[in-house]
Amino acid sequence: MSYLPTASLPPTPGSAPQALAGSPVATGSLAVQWQALQQHLETTFGSADYAAWLAPLKPVAASAGSLTLAAPTAFIAQWVEGHYAPQLQTMLESVTGTPVTLTLQVAPQFAQSFTQNFQAQQQPAQQRPAVAGGPALLPEVAAEPQPEWLSGSRLDPRYTFDQFVTGKSNQFAFAAAQGVAGAVQAGQPAFNPFFLHGGVGLGKTHLMHAIGHAVQNGKPGVNILYLSSEQFMYKFIKALKDKSTLGFKELFRNVDILMIDDIQFIAGKDSTQEEFFHTFNVLVQEGKQVVLTADRSPHELANIEDRLKSRLGSGLTIEVHAPEEETRLAILQAKAESLGFDMAPQVLQLLAQHIASNVRELEGALNRLVAYARLTGEPLTPELAREQLRDLFRVYNRVVTIEDIQQKVATQFNIRVSDMHSPRRAREVARPRQVAMFLAKQLTNRSYPDIGRAFGGRDHTTVIHACETITSLIPRDSGLAEQIDLVTRTLQGR
Ligand code: ADP
Ligand code: MG
């Protein structure tokens, strides 16, 4: 095999832009060879494994015939020792043509480097382009690749308390989030865990990041780990599979604030939950702040043990509600201003009136209009806005109620509306009832308990079960999927 000469190295995925803080920088040729090998390692072992195990390694000492690599945790060092060391050694030998001794050590300074990386990532990023109707994009920041284990996602620099517009619907959540940030800064996490829940696009992630920014500013050097629940589960399951929960706990050792977003996706085996439960307890006991978000309250979470549910709800649990029209208008004004776009008040009003359920949609609509206006140079009139947002308006200009849903579903499935409330469990009424519950969750802003009550006083777990059943049936049962689609269209006036 041949490697690129060091003189013409392309930027390699694992090459750190800056040297490991506080550690002796290895300048020996083996260290350089190590950097040169990075791309090859990634191709050889695959990006996921490379990112998990090899990218985190940093050369800290090198001399003729010996190279010392530092790993951020004992677990990574051990894993590399056991799984990769012989191959790495052979590769290095084939590059240098001499015998090589490879040593692995654990570098406690990596903990620092993690903090520094984190801070580096908090530098203001360039203005992002407006994405028409698209999801929020994180700014591109060239960050030192972090060990996959240790890395969370970056905090979005726009998601600060300053940028959060408050109104009746969210001022309590806002104040609570500020309270949490203040308590952490004072070194006394008071509301632990802080559990923020509510529908999609209502600002949960925004507030979570805002806590991170506030603490970061007030207390530089604090270690914040922000993970999606997918990232969390991935790391967790991997750790369990590798029988290395020790390593997993170690991962959190230097973390002052753990943030996990959208934990409704955390579910699964009891053993996983057990470990999560323990890790979680340890963090709280050690005075570390845990911040969680979900689309529903702790007790409405499905597939999670009661004990864990009650633990999750044992701190401060707050719901973010959909903003009322006045707040929607204020949000739009703020966003238009931050885009530097002078939008006619009638157009803002129109958006605030028609797009009611979700701030993300509101933002998307605004972005789309701004992009359109900038591209075409056409003056943005209410008529033009209507035209450009036809798809969004159509969905939102009709408020769908649970009663509408029950009626339309009953008609579609040829059952009586009263069967929606009745205790009858025969398949021919139970299935349509489940469809109606599913649609109630999809098309209205009502909570699971609310929906349960509207269906003859059923429990929220019944509603959750119905939603899950229908969700899993849709891809498998095209007849049912078509019926649901039809009812949905009728309900939305499409
Ligand atoms: P969630 O996590 O609840 O699904 P996000 O926090 O991702 O929602 O919010 C969706 C978008 O709406 C984000 O771009 C966020 O900045 C914006 N947003 C939500 N609520 C507000 C608010 N009150 N003020 C300003 N922007 C908001
Ligand atoms: Mg979110």
Side-chain angles (χ1 to χ4, degrees):
M1 90 188 55
S2 73
Y3 299 108
L4 292 161
T6 51
S8 62
L9 286 179
T12 54
S15 60
Q18 75 239 21
L20 177 59
S23 73
V25 180
T27 51
S29 71
L30 262 179
V32 178
Q33 297 290 2
W34 173 255
Q35 297 298 3
L37 263 182
Q38 298 302 307
Q39 211 146 43
H40 182 73
L41 295 180
E42 183 165 28
T43 334
T44 308
F45 299 110
S47 355
D49 282 355
Y50 170 78
W53 309 112
L54 303 175
L57 305 176
K58 295 280 149 34
V60 283
S63 61
S66 99
L67 175 66
T68 305
L69 295 172
T73 65
F75 175 59
I76 293 179
Q78 272 166 17
W79 184 269
V80 172
E81 189 99 55
H83 294 79
Y84 297 102
Q87 254 175 297
L88 296 179
Q89 201 168 330
T90 312
M91 283 180 178
L92 284 166
E93 285 177 349
S94 87
V95 194
T96 58
T98 54
V100 172
T101 313
L102 190 62
T103 314
L104 280 151
Q105 59 170 229
V106 185
Q109 351 28 340
F110 263 99
Q112 267 174 25
S113 126
F114 170 50
T115 314
Q116 279 152 3
N117 287 340
F118 185 83
Q119 282 163 350
Q121 289 155 22
Q122 303 316 300
Q123 302 302 325
Q126 307 95 316
Q127 188 73 30
R128 291 181 293 169
V131 179
L137 292 179
L138 287 177
E140 290 302 322
V141 180
E144 180 175 348
Q146 288 178 7
E148 196 201 7
W149 276 80
L150 213 51
S151 64
S153 299
R154 282 174 261 117
L155 294 186
D156 189 316
R158 297 172 321 158
Y159 291 176
T160 59
F161 284 130
D162 283 352
Q163 300 290 318
F164 196 83
V165 178
T166 56
K168 257 199 218 101
S169 57
N170 59 23
Q171 63 197 10
F172 194 38
F174 178 79
Q178 283 192 316
V180 168
V184 175
Q185 279 176 47
Q188 292 169 327
F191 314 103
N192 218 351
F194 179 46
F195 193 109
L196 205 53
H197 68 99
V200 173
L202 299 184
K204 301 182 298 294
T205 299
H206 188 133
L207 284 175
M208 196 182 218
H209 286 214
I211 293 174
H213 289 303
V215 174
Q216 195 82 48
N217 293 336
K219 201 177 175 187
V222 73
N223 258 337
I224 301 174
L225 185 58
Y226 166 71
L227 300 170
S228 68
S229 66
E230 267 174 337
Q231 287 171 317
F232 182 83
M233 284 308 277
Y234 173 74
K235 285 160 208 272
F236 211 96
I237 288 167
K238 200 163 161 93
L240 283 182
K241 218 167 70 193
D242 301 341
K243 305 213 179 352
S244 61
T245 46
L246 208 70
F248 188 78
K249 277 177 196 141
E250 201 173 285
L251 170 69
F252 296 111
R253 210 182 42 198
N254 296 307
V255 170
D256 302 305
I257 308 185
L258 174 66
M259 299 180 170
I260 308 177
D261 212 352
D262 289 318
I263 70 154
Q264 71 271 13
F265 298 120
I266 290 186
K269 294 205 185 77
D270 292 351
S271 59
T272 318
Q273 283 187 34
E274 190 69 16
E275 279 303 327
F276 173 63
F277 187 71
H278 286 309
T279 309
F280 176 83
N281 278 336
V282 168
L283 284 171
V284 172
Q285 267 159 24
E286 288 178 357
K288 316 227 161 146
Q289 178 70 50
V290 179
V291 182
L292 306 166
T293 72
D295 67 350
R296 56 196 92 157
S297 72
H299 75 272
E300 288 168 357
L301 289 168
N303 299 325
I304 289 194
E305 260 182 65
D306 286 347
R307 189 173 57 132
L308 186 51
K309 280 184 201 174
S310 78
R311 190 72 187 84
L312 293 176
S314 65
L316 181 63
T317 300
I318 304 257
E319 180 170 1
V320 198
H321 300 275
E324 60 285 1
E325 190 174 326
E326 200 185 323
T327 312
R328 296 201 294 274
L329 190 59
I331 291 173
L332 285 166
Q333 280 160 346
K335 302 270 175 196
E337 195 175 314
S338 76
L339 289 173
F341 194 89
D342 189 14
M343 197 174 275
Q346 304 94 299
V347 177
L348 293 175
Q349 196 89 50
L350 186 76
L351 294 186
Q353 275 165 1
H354 285 82
I355 302 178
S357 67
N358 164 339
V359 181
R360 184 177 294 142
E361 302 279 0
L362 209 56
E363 241 188 331
L366 183 81
N367 285 348
R368 199 199 284 186
L369 290 183
V370 170
Y372 183 88
R374 284 194 169 142
L375 221 76
T376 61
E378 273 183 62
L380 200 49
T381 58
E383 291 68 42
L384 182 62
R386 256 180 218 285
E387 171 66 25
Q388 288 308 312
L389 302 174
R390 232 173 1 187
D391 53 331
L392 291 174
F393 279 20
R394 220 186 259 153
V395 177
Y396 291 101
N397 64 5
R398 231 184 131 124
V399 178
V400 178
T401 65
I402 295 184
E403 291 68 39
D404 292 339
I405 294 171
Q406 290 174 329
Q407 199 152 34
K408 292 285 188 304
V409 173
T411 311
Q412 176 70 33
F413 288 82
N414 219 355
I415 63 169
R416 287 188 307 261
V417 176
S418 62
D419 283 330
M420 291 290 171
H421 313 273
S422 83
R424 281 186 62 204
R425 295 167 74 159
R427 173 61 94 67
E428 64 271 20
V429 295
R431 186 69 85 221
R433 194 189 292 130
Q434 286 182 320
V435 168
M437 290 181 189
F438 166 82
L439 286 175
K441 190 64 201 167
Q442 297 282 314
L443 305 177
T444 75
N445 257 333
R446 309 282 291 274
S447 68
Y448 289 112
D450 259 7
I451 297 173
R453 276 189 286 278
F455 284 81
R458 289 181 155 79
D459 193 64
H460 69 270
T461 53
T462 308
V463 184
I464 292 170
H465 176 70
C467 293
E468 286 171 353
T469 305
I470 300 302
T471 307
S472 72
L473 279 176
I474 287 174
R476 290 187 275 133
D477 184 340
S478 58
L480 182 72
E482 243 165 67
Q483 281 180 298
I484 293 176
D485 188 51
L486 207 73
V487 180
T488 310
R489 284 165 183 276
T490 323
L491 283 163
Q492 291 178 334
R494 284 193 275 162

